Amino acid sequence: MGINYNTMKTNKRINLIFTVLLMLVLVPYSVAQEKLPKIVILATGGTIAGAGESSTGSAYTSGQVKIESMIDAVPNIRKLADLKGEQISNVGSQDMSVKIWLDLAKRINELLEGDVDGVVITHGTDTQEETAFFLNLVIKSDKPVVLTGSMRPSTALSADGPLNMYNAVAVAASPDSKGRGVMVVMNDEIHSAHAVKKMMTTPVQTFESPQHGLLGTVIFGDVTYFHYPFGIHTTKSEFSVEGVKKLPRVDIIYGCADMSPDLIPMLVKAGAKGIVVAGVGDGNMTEATLEAAKKATSKGVVVVRASRVPIGTVLLHGEVNDAEYGTVSSMDLNPQKARVLLMLALLKDRSREDIQNLFLNY
Ligand code: ASP
């Protein structure tokens, strides 16, 4: 059989065209693969890592599952980012501590100073708002830092952890998330660290941002933002954890009718440098407690008036004349976040006016 040179030439040309077309498809695909953002998930424990004996029972223990198994349990999560996990702690967030906060903050600053594009933190929901607010004040980067958790343990029917984790990674990987401070992602919603509050004991919709509104939503990884958060945060914040090994003692006392004035002097005696009063209504307390507060502030202990009411701003010089009693208004920060700001504020000597200014701006 003779060789048909024309057919060979045509075949060669077809091969060449096919190769070029294949390259046109494959090269951008492989570049896109290489360009997946680098996200590190720091696990601290919580219900999201919790396990129970029955998928329909309410009994379970927080902080049982390790981060690698948690990542493996989320379908398609590795398509969103080049992921790595690190175990920082494995506790229920009722046991979250200043030590873990400091370790966490230092590790996040280290990672974000390098080539990591964003950080996700898995965390129990009980104190998640406090950790988020603490990190919001001490992280020195505008790269995304996102906390998430779950209300149902990993073994539960309709566990909410996997989708929360998927959405948190999507938020951390989104270029739109830069410069929005530390965020909390749960139940398809994106909250700012300043605004978010745990409002319900066990339902999956527990987190709300009642006074400021949501920052945005994230639906199966699709991120939409509505606004930027209120308050100074991250790169603009004056607070730092560098060289810090512990924080000054600040305690919270809960206001009620006929509240005992004994609590304030007891805390001062125990060594509290600051006291947050979760007062009634607009940060109010019994006349006797106000007098005890005045005594404490005259000795240099900082007393902040917050409120046990979940929503609203404690008015500066409202029913209580703060200048007269030496007290500080927490403004719209709830008692637990007011405590976080006060602990950081007390790392250096400041006047009452300076501390009040922090509460007006952070
Ligand atoms: N007690 C748990 C925790 O905060 C609750 C939760 O994660 O939802 O770790």
Side-chain angles (χ1 to χ4, degrees):
M1 213 167 63
I3 299 170
N4 184 337
Y5 287 101
N6 275 344
T7 312
M8 275 181 69
K9 255 191 193 166
T10 316
N11 281 348
K12 260 190 186 169
R13 218 175 277 150
I14 290 172
N15 275 346
L16 189 71
I17 292 170
F18 184 72
T19 311
V20 170
L21 281 175
L22 203 67
M23 279 174 71
L24 280 175
V25 173
L26 285 182
V27 169
Y29 176 74
S30 65
V31 169
Q33 288 292 298
E34 270 168 29
K35 276 201 175 145
L36 277 181
K38 281 193 180 174
I39 305 293
V40 176
I41 305 184
L42 301 177
T44 68
T47 299
I48 192 166
E53 298 228 315
S54 154
S55 60
T56 50
S58 54
Y60 71 98
T61 310
S62 281
Q64 299 296 296
V65 185
K66 295 266 172 63
I67 184 59
E68 287 307 333
S69 324
M70 285 164 70
I71 296 173
D72 290 342
V74 185
N76 295 328
I77 196 166
R78 289 194 189 275
K79 290 186 183 160
L80 295 173
D82 172 2
L83 279 184
K84 279 206 177 73
E86 282 180 29
Q87 198 77 42
I88 298 287
S89 62
N90 214 355
V91 296
S93 74
Q94 54 273 40
D95 284 320
M96 187 45 59
S97 63
V98 167
K99 167 153 189 337
I100 302 175
W101 280 352
L102 293 171
D103 289 348
L104 196 56
K106 287 172 189 172
R107 183 66 185 135
I108 296 169
N109 279 333
E110 201 171 77
L111 289 167
L112 296 182
E113 219 178 86
D115 64 350
V116 169
D117 297 298
V119 168
V120 168
I121 300 141
T122 55
H123 194 294
T125 60
D126 289 353
T127 59
Q128 190 165 147
E129 66 198 77
E130 286 156 79
T131 302
F133 189 57
F134 174 75
L135 296 175
N136 201 42
L137 301 179
V138 298
I139 295 303
K140 301 287 165 212
S141 171
D142 64 356
K143 293 178 186 175
V145 175
V146 181
L147 285 96
T148 193
S150 77
M151 296 306 288
R152 297 179 184 142
S154 64
T155 44
L157 190 63
S158 291
D160 51 333
L163 183 54
N164 285 342
M165 218 160 118
Y166 183 86
N167 281 336
V169 170
V171 170
S174 164
D176 289 348
S177 300
K178 248 187 151 185
R180 292 186 199 262
V182 174
M183 293 175 277
V184 166
V185 167
M186 288 271 293
N187 200 37
D188 296 353
E189 295 177 338
I190 310 171
H191 301 265
S192 75
H194 182 104
V196 69
K197 291 174 182 185
K198 185 171 186 178
M199 300 292 280
M200 299 168 206
T201 53
T202 60
V204 293
Q205 70 276 26
T206 185
F207 281 117
E208 290 178 22
S209 292
Q211 202 163 355
H212 297 261
L214 292 179
L215 282 190
T217 58
V218 48
I219 316 289
F220 290 113
D222 191 7
V223 179
T224 308
Y225 280 106
F226 312 136
H227 42 238
Y228 281 87
F230 170 85
I232 300 173
H233 60 78
T234 57
T235 51
K236 300 248 161 61
S237 166
E238 67 193 80
F239 302 108
S240 162
V241 288
E242 234 184 270
V244 176
K245 296 217 165 51
K246 54 186 198 169
L247 296 177
R249 175 170 174 170
V250 175
D251 292 287
I252 300 176
I253 57 180
Y254 201 87
C256 57
D258 205 19
M259 179 185 188
S260 163
D262 299 345
L263 298 170
I264 290 185
M266 275 162 70
L267 288 175
V268 174
K269 199 164 167 221
K273 302 285 176 270
I275 296 167
V276 177
V277 182
V280 295
D282 187 21
N284 289 318
M285 58 202 90
T286 53
E287 192 54 48
T289 306
L290 264 180
E291 286 305 326
K294 193 175 179 179
K295 231 183 190 165
T297 59
S298 70
K299 286 187 191 151
V301 174
V302 180
V303 179
V304 173
R305 294 190 305 114
S307 179
R308 68 177 193 176
V309 177
I311 305 168
T313 299
V314 172
L315 300 179
L316 180 59
H317 309 311
E319 255 188 280
V320 175
N321 183 335
D322 289 290
E324 184 189 334
Y325 291 97
T327 50
V328 168
S329 157
S330 75
M331 306 311 293
D332 66 337
L333 289 180
N334 62 18
Q336 55 271 34
K337 285 189 198 169
R339 174 176 174 262
V340 170
L341 180 54
L342 186 54
M343 283 194 289
L344 286 168
L346 290 173
L347 280 171
K348 90 177 203 201
D349 257 2
R350 297 174 198 261
S351 67
R352 189 190 75 85
E353 288 72 22
D354 284 351
I355 294 177
Q356 183 63 68
N357 265 330
L358 296 175
F359 278 90
L360 286 163
N361 291 302
Y362 284 83

mmCIF file of all heavy atoms in Angstrom, residues 45-48 60 62-63 91-95 123-128 149-152 186 198 201, ligand 1:
data_model
loop_
_atom_site.group_PDB
_atom_site.id
_atom_site.type_symbol
_atom_site.label_atom_id
_atom_site.label_comp_id
_atom_site.label_asym_id
_atom_site.label_seq_id
_atom_site.Cartn_x
_atom_site.Cartn_y
_atom_site.Cartn_z
ATOM 1 N N GLY A 45 -12.208 23.382 69.328
ATOM 2 C CA GLY A 45 -13.176 22.517 70.010
ATOM 3 C C GLY A 45 -14.592 22.987 69.797
ATOM 4 O O GLY A 45 -14.916 23.557 68.755
ATOM 5 N N GLY A 46 -15.467 22.762 70.778
ATOM 6 C CA GLY A 46 -16.867 23.174 70.656
ATOM 7 C C GLY A 46 -17.752 22.045 70.166
ATOM 8 O O GLY A 46 -17.294 20.938 69.887
ATOM 9 N N THR A 47 -19.024 22.367 70.031
ATOM 10 C CA THR A 47 -20.008 21.380 69.577
ATOM 11 C C THR A 47 -19.715 20.918 68.161
ATOM 12 O O THR A 47 -20.002 19.780 67.796
ATOM 13 C CB THR A 47 -21.418 22.003 69.671
ATOM 14 O OG1 THR A 47 -21.656 22.319 71.030
ATOM 15 C CG2 THR A 47 -22.494 21.055 69.193
ATOM 16 N N ILE A 48 -19.137 21.786 67.346
ATOM 17 C CA ILE A 48 -18.812 21.410 65.965
ATOM 18 C C ILE A 48 -17.848 20.214 65.958
ATOM 19 O O ILE A 48 -17.832 19.426 65.015
ATOM 20 C CB ILE A 48 -18.247 22.636 65.182
ATOM 21 C CG1 ILE A 48 -18.191 22.338 63.681
ATOM 22 C CG2 ILE A 48 -16.892 23.100 65.714
ATOM 23 C CD1 ILE A 48 -17.977 23.565 62.809
ATOM 24 N N TYR A 60 -24.302 15.087 74.626
ATOM 25 C CA TYR A 60 -23.070 14.951 73.843
ATOM 26 C C TYR A 60 -21.946 15.629 74.608
ATOM 27 O O TYR A 60 -22.182 16.335 75.591
ATOM 28 C CB TYR A 60 -23.215 15.589 72.448
ATOM 29 C CG TYR A 60 -23.258 17.097 72.475
ATOM 30 C CD1 TYR A 60 -22.104 17.856 72.219
ATOM 31 C CD2 TYR A 60 -24.427 17.783 72.799
ATOM 32 C CE1 TYR A 60 -22.137 19.244 72.272
ATOM 33 C CE2 TYR A 60 -24.461 19.157 72.856
ATOM 34 C CZ TYR A 60 -23.309 19.885 72.592
ATOM 35 O OH TYR A 60 -23.328 21.250 72.656
ATOM 36 N N SER A 62 -18.564 18.205 73.965
ATOM 37 C CA SER A 62 -17.858 19.099 73.027
ATOM 38 C C SER A 62 -16.416 18.648 72.848
ATOM 39 O O SER A 62 -15.845 17.983 73.713
ATOM 40 C CB SER A 62 -17.833 20.525 73.590
ATOM 41 O OG SER A 62 -19.057 21.161 73.385
ATOM 42 N N GLY A 63 -15.813 19.043 71.729
ATOM 43 C CA GLY A 63 -14.375 18.874 71.548
ATOM 44 C C GLY A 63 -13.897 17.438 71.541
ATOM 45 O O GLY A 63 -12.990 17.071 72.295
ATOM 46 N N VAL A 91 -11.594 22.125 73.384
ATOM 47 C CA VAL A 91 -12.408 22.337 74.595
ATOM 48 C C VAL A 91 -13.796 22.854 74.211
ATOM 49 O O VAL A 91 -13.984 23.439 73.140
ATOM 50 C CB VAL A 91 -11.762 23.385 75.536
ATOM 51 C CG1 VAL A 91 -10.418 22.900 76.052
ATOM 52 C CG2 VAL A 91 -11.606 24.758 74.857
ATOM 53 N N GLY A 92 -14.750 22.629 75.085
ATOM 54 C CA GLY A 92 -16.021 23.324 74.976
ATOM 55 C C GLY A 92 -15.722 24.793 75.253
ATOM 56 O O GLY A 92 -14.870 25.085 76.105
ATOM 57 N N SER A 93 -16.388 25.722 74.558
ATOM 58 C CA SER A 93 -15.941 27.120 74.712
ATOM 59 C C SER A 93 -16.322 27.710 76.062
ATOM 60 O O SER A 93 -15.918 28.820 76.392
ATOM 61 C CB SER A 93 -16.429 27.989 73.554
ATOM 62 O OG SER A 93 -17.795 28.243 73.670
ATOM 63 N N GLN A 94 -17.074 26.969 76.885
ATOM 64 C CA GLN A 94 -17.263 27.388 78.284
ATOM 65 C C GLN A 94 -15.915 27.362 79.013
ATOM 66 O O GLN A 94 -15.734 28.012 80.031
ATOM 67 C CB GLN A 94 -18.310 26.519 79.010
ATOM 68 C CG GLN A 94 -18.084 25.012 78.974
ATOM 69 C CD GLN A 94 -18.692 24.346 77.746
ATOM 70 O OE1 GLN A 94 -18.642 24.881 76.643
ATOM 71 N NE2 GLN A 94 -19.276 23.170 77.938
ATOM 72 N N ASP A 95 -14.955 26.593 78.454
ATOM 73 C CA ASP A 95 -13.606 26.523 79.036
ATOM 74 C C ASP A 95 -12.587 27.328 78.228
ATOM 75 O O ASP A 95 -11.374 27.145 78.402
ATOM 76 C CB ASP A 95 -13.148 25.063 79.130
ATOM 77 C CG ASP A 95 -13.821 24.338 80.276
ATOM 78 O OD1 ASP A 95 -13.973 24.960 81.345
ATOM 79 O OD2 ASP A 95 -14.232 23.174 80.097
ATOM 80 N N HIS A 123 -14.939 26.813 66.687
ATOM 81 C CA HIS A 123 -15.026 27.279 68.081
ATOM 82 C C HIS A 123 -16.419 26.982 68.615
ATOM 83 O O HIS A 123 -17.400 27.092 67.886
ATOM 84 C CB HIS A 123 -14.796 28.800 68.050
ATOM 85 C CG HIS A 123 -14.507 29.456 69.357
ATOM 86 N ND1 HIS A 123 -15.431 29.537 70.384
ATOM 87 C CD2 HIS A 123 -13.398 30.095 69.812
ATOM 88 C CE1 HIS A 123 -14.897 30.195 71.400
ATOM 89 N NE2 HIS A 123 -13.656 30.541 71.092
ATOM 90 N N GLY A 124 -16.500 26.674 69.884
ATOM 91 C CA GLY A 124 -17.810 26.531 70.512
ATOM 92 C C GLY A 124 -18.576 27.835 70.428
ATOM 93 O O GLY A 124 -17.987 28.915 70.313
ATOM 94 N N THR A 125 -19.899 27.742 70.502
ATOM 95 C CA THR A 125 -20.698 28.957 70.304
ATOM 96 C C THR A 125 -20.912 29.745 71.594
ATOM 97 O O THR A 125 -21.223 30.932 71.545
ATOM 98 C CB THR A 125 -22.073 28.604 69.702
ATOM 99 O OG1 THR A 125 -22.740 27.724 70.607
ATOM 100 C CG2 THR A 125 -21.928 27.963 68.342
ATOM 101 N N ASP A 126 -20.733 29.111 72.757
ATOM 102 C CA ASP A 126 -21.046 29.789 74.029
ATOM 103 C C ASP A 126 -20.261 31.094 74.199
ATOM 104 O O ASP A 126 -20.805 32.098 74.667
ATOM 105 C CB ASP A 126 -20.733 28.870 75.229
ATOM 106 C CG ASP A 126 -21.712 27.717 75.332
ATOM 107 O OD1 ASP A 126 -22.694 27.687 74.583
ATOM 108 O OD2 ASP A 126 -21.480 26.831 76.177
ATOM 109 N N THR A 127 -18.987 31.075 73.877
ATOM 110 C CA THR A 127 -18.159 32.274 74.066
ATOM 111 C C THR A 127 -17.545 32.741 72.742
ATOM 112 O O THR A 127 -16.571 33.482 72.744
ATOM 113 C CB THR A 127 -17.028 32.009 75.085
ATOM 114 O OG1 THR A 127 -16.221 30.935 74.590
ATOM 115 C CG2 THR A 127 -17.565 31.639 76.462
ATOM 116 N N GLN A 128 -18.141 32.301 71.633
ATOM 117 C CA GLN A 128 -17.564 32.641 70.325
ATOM 118 C C GLN A 128 -17.516 34.154 70.087
ATOM 119 O O GLN A 128 -16.572 34.691 69.513
ATOM 120 C CB GLN A 128 -18.369 31.960 69.216
ATOM 121 C CG GLN A 128 -17.701 32.070 67.879
ATOM 122 C CD GLN A 128 -18.241 31.124 66.821
ATOM 123 O OE1 GLN A 128 -18.259 31.491 65.669
ATOM 124 N NE2 GLN A 128 -18.672 29.942 67.167
ATOM 125 N N GLY A 149 -18.913 27.605 64.060
ATOM 126 C CA GLY A 149 -19.162 26.546 65.031
ATOM 127 C C GLY A 149 -20.429 25.828 64.630
ATOM 128 O O GLY A 149 -20.846 25.891 63.466
ATOM 129 N N SER A 150 -21.042 25.168 65.564
ATOM 130 C CA SER A 150 -22.323 24.537 65.247
ATOM 131 C C SER A 150 -23.131 24.415 66.522
ATOM 132 O O SER A 150 -22.596 24.492 67.628
ATOM 133 C CB SER A 150 -22.114 23.162 64.631
ATOM 134 O OG SER A 150 -21.784 22.229 65.640
ATOM 135 N N MET A 151 -24.406 24.238 66.353
ATOM 136 C CA MET A 151 -25.287 24.053 67.510
ATOM 137 C C MET A 151 -25.563 22.581 67.744
ATOM 138 O O MET A 151 -25.977 22.186 68.823
ATOM 139 C CB MET A 151 -26.598 24.824 67.301
ATOM 140 C CG MET A 151 -26.407 26.325 67.213
ATOM 141 S SD MET A 151 -25.506 27.001 68.615
ATOM 142 C CE MET A 151 -26.729 26.858 69.898
ATOM 143 N N ARG A 152 -25.353 21.775 66.681
ATOM 144 C CA ARG A 152 -25.581 20.329 66.833
ATOM 145 C C ARG A 152 -24.248 19.612 66.679
ATOM 146 O O ARG A 152 -23.459 19.972 65.799
ATOM 147 C CB ARG A 152 -26.551 19.833 65.762
ATOM 148 C CG ARG A 152 -27.929 20.468 65.897
ATOM 149 C CD ARG A 152 -28.867 19.993 64.818
ATOM 150 N NE ARG A 152 -30.145 20.686 64.906
ATOM 151 C CZ ARG A 152 -30.859 21.087 63.858
ATOM 152 N NH1 ARG A 152 -30.428 20.858 62.623
ATOM 153 N NH2 ARG A 152 -31.991 21.711 64.037
ATOM 154 N N MET A 186 -22.286 31.610 60.602
ATOM 155 C CA MET A 186 -23.133 30.512 61.092
ATOM 156 C C MET A 186 -24.480 30.630 60.399
ATOM 157 O O MET A 186 -24.973 31.749 60.170
ATOM 158 C CB MET A 186 -23.396 30.658 62.600
ATOM 159 C CG MET A 186 -22.241 30.368 63.522
ATOM 160 S SD MET A 186 -22.071 28.649 64.049
ATOM 161 C CE MET A 186 -23.493 28.357 65.064
ATOM 162 N N LYS A 198 -24.888 35.849 70.866
ATOM 163 C CA LYS A 198 -25.601 34.571 70.979
ATOM 164 C C LYS A 198 -26.914 34.862 71.693
ATOM 165 O O LYS A 198 -26.922 35.305 72.838
ATOM 166 C CB LYS A 198 -24.776 33.534 71.758
ATOM 167 C CG LYS A 198 -25.443 32.177 71.775
ATOM 168 C CD LYS A 198 -24.566 31.058 72.336
ATOM 169 C CE LYS A 198 -25.295 29.727 72.153
ATOM 170 N NZ LYS A 198 -24.521 28.577 72.607
ATOM 171 N N THR A 201 -30.343 29.577 73.453
ATOM 172 C CA THR A 201 -29.507 28.545 74.071
ATOM 173 C C THR A 201 -29.102 27.447 73.094
ATOM 174 O O THR A 201 -27.935 27.098 73.006
ATOM 175 C CB THR A 201 -30.228 27.906 75.278
ATOM 176 O OG1 THR A 201 -31.515 27.478 74.832
ATOM 177 C CG2 THR A 201 -30.370 28.874 76.431
HETATM 178 N N1 ASP B 1 -20.948 24.388 74.953
HETATM 179 C C1 ASP B 1 -20.622 24.370 73.553
HETATM 180 C C2 ASP B 1 -19.391 25.232 73.350
HETATM 181 O O1 ASP B 1 -19.501 26.422 73.425
HETATM 182 C C3 ASP B 1 -21.782 24.848 72.761
HETATM 183 C C4 ASP B 1 -21.543 24.996 71.278
HETATM 184 O O2 ASP B 1 -20.463 24.882 70.750
HETATM 185 O O3 ASP B 1 -22.550 25.261 70.589
HETATM 186 O O4 ASP B 1 -18.346 24.695 73.132
#
